[in-house]
DNA sequence: CAAGATTGAGTCATCAATCTTA
DNA sequence: TAAGATTGATGACTCAATCTTG
């Protein structure tokens, strides 16, 4: 059953799984406690804010964020109700919907940013040894890229 | 709003988040397609199998696996119905429940192991550069340990 | 009254089906 | 007929309340 050699080969995977699930819970708790937008909302607002013209098609949003296509749809509906985003059909391809962040959305993002950054520092970054952050980010990038191509070959 | 310095400090976190969510989905799909136990079940069976006497209290199971205390309770109930685990009160402390893996459970674990290992290789490990696996595992360990202590100071 | 565990009720996320436009 | 997106139904997960034993 999973001998020592196997264990070695899955160690990095299990470390990612454990570190992520532990830190994520803690970060979400902090954001909830601070009364700022949830992590899901934050991620969507962050990507929209960074996008050209501050807007993105649903699909591109899903590819960038850590969320499924359907989940994006639901979250954008919530964000729209909160006034943080507007959704309009893409004039170039009327099947597509463009989500655009509003000034209120940018304000909410700005309010949440300090909590978000502090929580990541407290529950994740703070524990990393010198250089480990870069090694992790660069080490994992090929994994992320490989799956991005699978999802969306044109990128 | 999140300037370049901030981005650097959260890069490792976002990489972990993205790599985990992408790879996890793919691994779960493979296990589902192969008709073997789910990742949740696998994790519990794996920990039980590795434990002294092949058994663990619910709480210790939750601390080791990537699952909450309540979720463990639910999964153990399912595993028990499948005949993969038995649950008995701990004779030393009758408040506690001990979950023990059965021979059928070990067989299920053994059947799932090749798919599990192959999926991790295919969707995660394969993409890592030489040495990156170890750097990631060792780099993240302090994060995991920090949260373990928070959950359970005696360990 | 605290610790270990389970359960009822509610929330969140996903799949498959659907709607609309290309 | 396919691509983009949304939604209805369902299953997974979590919180708080509860039960039992220390």
């Amino acid at each position: 059953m999973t001998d020592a050699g196997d264990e070695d080969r899955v160690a990095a995977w299990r470390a990612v799984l454990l570190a992520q699930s532990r830190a994520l819970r803690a970060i979400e708790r902090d954001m909830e406690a601070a009364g700022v937008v949830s992590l899901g909302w934050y991620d969507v607002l962050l990507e929209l804010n960074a996008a050209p013209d501050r807007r993105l098609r649903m699909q591109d949003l899903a590819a960038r964020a850590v969320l499924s296509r359907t989940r994006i749809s639901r979250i954008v509906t919530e964000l729209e109700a909160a006034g943080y985003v507007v959704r309009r059909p893409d004039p170039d391809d009327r099947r597509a919907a463009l989500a655009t962040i509003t000034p209120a959305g940018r304000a909410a993002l700005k309010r949440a940013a300090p909590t978000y950054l502090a929580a990541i520092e407290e529950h994740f970054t703070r524990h990393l040894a010198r250089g480990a952050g870069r090694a992790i980010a660069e080490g994992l990038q090929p994994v992320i890229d490989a799956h991005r191509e699978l999802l969306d070959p044109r990128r």
Side-chain angles (χ1 to χ4, degrees), chain A:
Chain A
M1 197 128 336
T2 66
D3 60 29
D6 290 337
E7 300 248 327
D8 250 23
R9 294 199 341 265
V10 302
W13 170 245
R14 292 189 67 84
V16 167
L17 220 51
L18 275 167
Q20 194 265 6
S21 85
R22 305 279 219 264
L24 185 65
R25 267 175 228 267
I27 292 167
E28 280 178 332
R29 262 203 318 274
D30 282 6
M31 295 185 74
E32 161 85 25
V36 299
V37 294
S38 70
L39 243 193
W41 285 27
Y42 190 91
D43 268 9
V44 168
L45 292 176
L46 187 67
E47 294 299 342
L48 287 179
N49 194 54
D53 296 331
R54 306 193 190 291
R55 64 186 186 176
L56 237 27
R57 295 168 4 150
M58 295 292 117
Q59 223 170 315
D60 298 328
L61 202 42
R64 282 174 175 72
V66 194
L67 301 160
S68 70
R69 228 130 60 279
T70 14
R71 193 85 250 300
I72 288 286
S73 221
R74 298 249 137 99
I75 290 187
V76 168
T77 301
E78 295 166 16
L79 287 169
E80 207 173 13
Y84 292 168
V85 153
V86 293
R87 173 162 29 191
R88 287 173 312 137
D90 181 344
D92 298 341
D93 180 346
R94 307 254 307 279
R95 291 173 303 185
L98 286 173
T100 308
I101 189 171
T102 65
R106 301 190 70 199
L109 185 58
K110 188 164 190 165
R111 271 196 306 279
T115 303
Y116 175 79
L117 294 169
I120 291 173
E121 177 69 25
E122 168 67 16
H123 301 298
F124 185 81
T125 314
R126 179 165 78 79
H127 304 293
L128 300 179
R130 263 198 110 52
R134 175 170 294 252
I136 289 167
E138 290 178 356
L140 291 177
Q141 196 56 48
V143 176
I144 297 167
D145 292 341
H147 289 277
R148 195 196 307 287
E149 280 155 26
L150 283 179
L151 284 173
D152 184 357
R154 89 183 118 84
R155 196 178 309 275

